[in-house]
Amino acid sequence: MGEDDSFVYDEASGEWISAARAAGSADDAANGPVEVRDAVGNLLANGDQVTLIKDLAVKGAGQTLKRGTLIKSIRLTGDAQEIDCKYDGIKGLVLRAEFVRKR
């Protein structure tokens, strides 16, 4: 039984995959985190403050966040266009990076 015949359990997908494929996905993760950029191209990081550049209706919350609203302490999600935010009265707020500008 050679190395090509061995399999490992991938917890992310819940499947058994070949060891060679698992080594390849580990290399992909080592390439670094996804770069998240705001509407004008500034690089965003965890803990940054952002300002909304347009009015956004928040589904499920029944309110609209107005242009110029300050969002404090964002968190990156691993997606190049989504950021996780906290705002008073809205739980689990996720904004698209194209609608914010770094403060």
Side-chain angles (χ1 to χ4, degrees):
M1 193 175 214
E3 184 178 334
D4 295 335
D5 297 330
S6 59
F7 288 87
V8 294
Y9 185 73
D10 182 25
E11 292 181 9
S13 67
E15 299 175 351
W16 288 94
I17 60 174
S18 69
R21 185 171 154 206
S25 63
D27 291 341
D28 292 343
N31 288 338
V34 175
E35 284 189 351
V36 180
R37 296 192 178 270
D38 68 2
V40 293
N42 297 322
L43 189 62
L44 297 175
N46 286 327
D48 282 348
Q49 293 183 355
V50 295
T51 304
L52 296 180
I53 62 168
K54 73 178 266 185
D55 292 351
L56 298 174
V58 182
K59 294 179 182 177
Q63 68 181 169
T64 300
L65 295 176
K66 299 291 183 185
R67 185 179 69 134
T69 301
L70 177 66
I71 305 291
K72 298 178 181 179
S73 189
I74 66 167
R75 188 173 61 93
L76 304 180
T77 62
D79 185 321
Q81 275 300 311
E82 292 183 351
I83 55 174
D84 191 27
C85 310
K86 288 184 180 179
Y87 189 75
D88 294 336
I90 303 174
K91 290 185 178 183
L93 179 63
V94 177
L95 295 175
R96 304 243 340 140
E98 64 188 295
F99 299 127
V100 299
R101 184 182 72 225
K102 187 174 180 177
R103 187 164 165 102

